[in-house]
Every structure is written in structure tokens, then in C-alpha cells.
Amino acid sequence: MKVYTTPLEGVLLLEPVVHRDERGFFFESYSARALAEHGITTTFVQDNHSRSVRGTIRGLHYQVGAGQVKLVRVLSGAIFDVAVDIRWGSPTFGKWFGQILSADNFLQMYIPVGFAHGFCVLSETADVAYKCSSFYAPQDERGLLWNDPAIGIAWPTFEPILSERDRRHPTLEQIGRDFVYGA
């Protein structure tokens, strides 16, 4: 497995070794041992799977309290996956990083606590699977407005399909100080 750093400290791209032959391909989509070799020792407790249509934006979501690390990959289709630094005092507070993840490129994004996460579907449909380090807790769910001009994410759609909840999230300026850099 190759691990690539991004401009956001702690957000990583993971590229598994894919074995291809005339039958198709095989790869380890998750290996605690391989991640530990790269210093990633997160324990994941829940797997989530979503299917969305082209132009859907899901996010930007995060969970407070213990927070929630996510390991995101695409089973079918393609997405533009985004992480936003929401750690007050961070040198990259309010900055974002985006990467195309697809069933063809096999890339995965590791998103630590202190980052909001969202994605936009680029293909006709996309199946997205992600591991979480803590269980879903409705009382701890939070969000960040997908099109906050203070962040300026270059989403690949101008008229996204959004949930009513995602339309009403607060801006970066309005969110709580739930995560403090270096604390």
C-alpha cells in the first residue's frame, strides 16, 4: 500500500496494491497491519454504504464528542471527495482538499477527527463505503454548509441534489469550536 500526504495535515490518500489478471482484479481493501506500518492505528467500529445519483452532494458532515475518523472508498462509479479542516487554530483552518475517488482508481481517503467530509457524485450512480472510528450518534452529528464562500470548494456541479438538512448547515464562521488544533 502506498500512502500519500495531502496539504491538510492528517488527511491521507491510500493506494492499495491491485493484482490484475485475465479474471479481473484482487486487492486488500482494508488491512489493519498495512495501515499500522504507515502509523495509522485507528480502530474502526462501523461500516457505512451509500448509493447516490450524479450531481448529489452529501455533506459536509462531521461528528463531535469523540469525533469520527473516516476511511472512504468507492465501490462503483466516481466521486469528488472533500475534507475541510475545522480545527480552530490550525494553520489550514477552513482550507479544503478534494480528490477523485473511483472504482477504477482504487484510491481511498483517510479523514481524521477535526475535519468535515463530503462528496459529489460524478458518475451516473456511485456506491460509497466508509469505515468509521465511532458509532453514529445523532446527538453528535454536525454539518458545515456545502457552498460556504469562506471555504470556496470547487464542486464539480452548480445545481447539486442535496438533502434538506445539508441545505441548512451553518457556515464556517457559525460552527462551534468543537475541535481545537493541538489540543
Side-chain angles (χ1 to χ4, degrees):
M1 170 180 295
K2 293 179 184 175
V3 177
Y4 304 98
T5 59
T6 71
L8 301 180
E9 178 188 355
V11 175
L12 304 170
L13 290 176
L14 311 178
E15 183 180 13
V17 175
V18 180
H19 305 278
R20 300 173 194 265
D21 62 22
E22 66 277 357
R23 299 169 295 167
F25 67 82
F26 170 84
F27 72 101
E28 291 180 350
S29 62
Y30 173 76
S31 168
R33 179 178 41 217
L35 292 176
E37 289 172 3
H38 293 281
I40 302 169
T41 57
T42 304
T43 299
F44 293 103
V45 299
Q46 180 175 313
D47 282 354
N48 297 331
H49 182 152
S50 72
R51 175 174 292 154
S52 306
V53 298
R54 183 187 312 275
T56 296
I57 291 180
R58 290 186 182 261
L60 299 157
H61 303 147
Y62 61 99
Q63 197 161 289
V64 297
Q68 194 175 63
V69 177
K70 293 179 181 176
L71 181 58
V72 182
R73 74 185 188 102
V74 175
L75 305 175
S76 68
I79 64 171
F80 180 64
D81 205 37
V82 173
V84 178
D85 189 346
I86 57 171
R87 301 168 301 161
W88 291 87
S90 164
T92 56
F93 176 77
K95 304 292 185 204
W96 64 276
F97 171 76
Q99 173 67 48
I100 294 175
L101 306 182
S102 73
D104 293 330
N105 70 17
F106 300 98
L107 290 175
Q108 299 179 37
M109 192 180 299
Y110 177 88
I111 304 163
V113 170
F115 292 83
H117 169 254
F119 62 85
C120 179
V121 178
L122 303 173
S123 51
E124 196 63 34
T125 62
D127 282 288
V128 178
Y130 55 100
K131 296 185 166 307
C132 300
S133 65
S134 60
F135 295 107
Y136 171 68
Q139 70 279 8
D140 291 337
E141 72 178 342
R142 300 288 188 277
L144 182 60
L145 188 62
W146 70 278
N147 64 347
D148 182 348
I151 300 168
I153 297 170
W155 292 108
T157 185
F158 295 105
E159 295 186 27
I161 301 168
L162 296 160
S163 71
E164 193 53 42
R165 185 184 78 159
D166 287 348
R167 290 180 194 280
R168 295 182 312 218
H169 287 309
T171 64
L172 185 65
E173 185 177 279
Q174 296 168 327
I175 65 170
R177 292 182 180 233
D178 298 303
F179 304 103
V180 177
Y181 182 73

